[in-house]
Amino acid sequence: MANKYRVAVIAGDGIGREVVPEGVAAMEAAARRYGFAFEWREFDWSCETYAKTGRMMPEDGLDRLRSFDAVFWARSAIPGCPTTCRCGVS
């Protein structure tokens, strides 16, 4: 396989946990059809995590994502979650 892309996956909250697997399946189908591949790495970062820990992602979260070719990030929002949580900054 000539091209392999590393993708960080952050399903977020709510419907993100339902639609992200379908999106991954669609991208896998495209990869098979067009001759490339994905390497997926899931991160359990969400507003639910924020509610439990006070942070959506760890302090070094953005640094962890830099090594990936792409980030597949669904919406992270639940009632009562501050706006800053949606972009991973607290």
Side-chain angles (χ1 to χ4, degrees):
M1 186 95 15
N3 294 319
K4 186 173 191 174
Y5 301 96
R6 296 183 68 239
V7 181
V9 179
I10 305 170
D13 303 289
I15 197 158
R17 293 181 180 161
E18 296 175 27
V19 299
V20 165
E22 298 302 319
V24 168
M27 289 188 281
E28 283 289 342
R32 284 190 301 276
R33 170 72 172 91
Y34 294 103
F36 60 94
F38 291 107
E39 177 185 325
W40 306 98
R41 167 84 192 282
E42 293 186 30
F43 292 87
D44 185 23
W45 299 345
S46 64
C47 283
E48 187 175 288
T49 303
Y50 176 88
K52 291 177 185 174
T53 68
R55 294 195 60 87
M56 187 198 156
M57 65 172 67
E59 190 77 33
D60 66 344
L62 294 177
D63 289 331
R64 290 187 196 186
L65 296 177
R66 282 184 173 74
S67 67
F68 291 88
D69 298 305
V71 177
F72 183 23
W73 192 336
R75 181 168 166 79
S76 293
I78 58 173
C81 187
T83 303
T84 55
C85 179
R86 293 187 184 118
C87 66
V89 178
S90 53

